[in-house]
């Protein structure tokens, strides 16, 4: 049975504007227990910022979190999939581009996000990543 992205994605992901400060984004990630936030401008997807981006592109570079916006540190070149795509396509794209998360876009609108852990739970629940991701989802 073919699994589609819509069956495993997280709907309504957190999104912030391009001028949002990275300190605010870090607090939002903490409060909502998430590791990535979409970056939008006038409802158009402009990038993705992850907890790793904050560590590597802000803290490690000595940038001031109070003065740095997500526009300055987000990953602007995004690989996206449609909710109607097969989950195997997402896995292949993640592998090819060394990604852990993919925004889900339908008719130009961001409708969700899928993480590597989401796919591991569905495709290989006995794997270490599948077990960890399933356990994290149940806490």
């Amino acid at each position: 049975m073919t699994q589609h992205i819509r069956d495993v994605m997280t709907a309504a992901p957190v999104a912030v504007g391009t001028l949002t400060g990275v300190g605010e984004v870090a607090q939002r990630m903490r409060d909502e227990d998430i590791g990535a936030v979409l970056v939008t401008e006038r409802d158009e997807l402009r990038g993705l910022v992850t907890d790793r981006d904050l560590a590597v592109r802000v803290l490690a570079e000595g940038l001031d979190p109070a003065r740095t916006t997500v526009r300055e540190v987000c990953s602007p070149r995004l690989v996206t999939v449609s909710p109607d795509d097969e989950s195997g396509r997402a896995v292949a794209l993640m592998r090819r581009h060394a990604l852990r998360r993919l925004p889900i876009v339908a008719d130009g609108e961001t409708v969700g996000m899928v993480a590597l852990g989401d796919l591991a739970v569905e495709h290989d629940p006995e794997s270490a990543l599948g077990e960890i991701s399933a356990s994290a989802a149940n806490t």
Side-chain angles (χ1 to χ4, degrees):
M1 180 175 170
T2 302
Q3 182 116 40
H4 291 92
I5 294 297
R6 72 175 157 273
D7 300 323
V8 295
M9 73 181 199
T10 298
V14 173
V16 298
T18 56
L19 299 179
T20 305
V22 296
E24 180 181 333
V25 169
Q27 291 170 352
R28 191 115 183 242
M29 287 179 175
R30 177 201 62 207
D31 295 347
E32 300 195 32
D33 194 27
I34 55 176
V37 172
L38 297 171
V39 179
T40 61
E41 186 173 50
R42 291 187 288 283
D43 294 329
E44 188 173 323
L45 183 61
R46 294 292 187 197
L48 176 75
V49 66
T50 67
D51 45 8
R52 185 176 190 282
D53 292 330
L54 298 180
V56 172
R57 296 179 181 170
V58 178
L59 297 176
E61 293 297 323
L63 299 178
D64 181 353
R67 295 177 182 246
T68 305
T69 66
V70 291
R71 179 189 339 196
E72 299 170 66
V73 299
C74 71
S75 300
R77 293 188 186 135
L78 298 178
V79 175
T80 65
V81 291
S82 160
D84 296 324
D85 284 337
E86 294 181 11
S87 59
R89 179 168 189 270
V91 171
L93 287 169
M94 288 175 157
R95 182 177 292 131
R96 183 177 321 129
H97 298 282
L99 300 171
R100 294 183 179 141
R101 298 169 182 93
L102 294 175
I104 314 305
V105 177
D107 300 321
E109 182 181 337
T110 306
V111 296
M113 187 152 15
V114 67
L116 185 59
D118 300 329
L119 294 166
V121 168
E122 292 301 317
H123 285 272
D124 195 3
E126 302 299 314
S127 70
L129 180 58
E131 287 181 6
I132 291 167
S133 298
S135 176
N138 293 323
T139 59

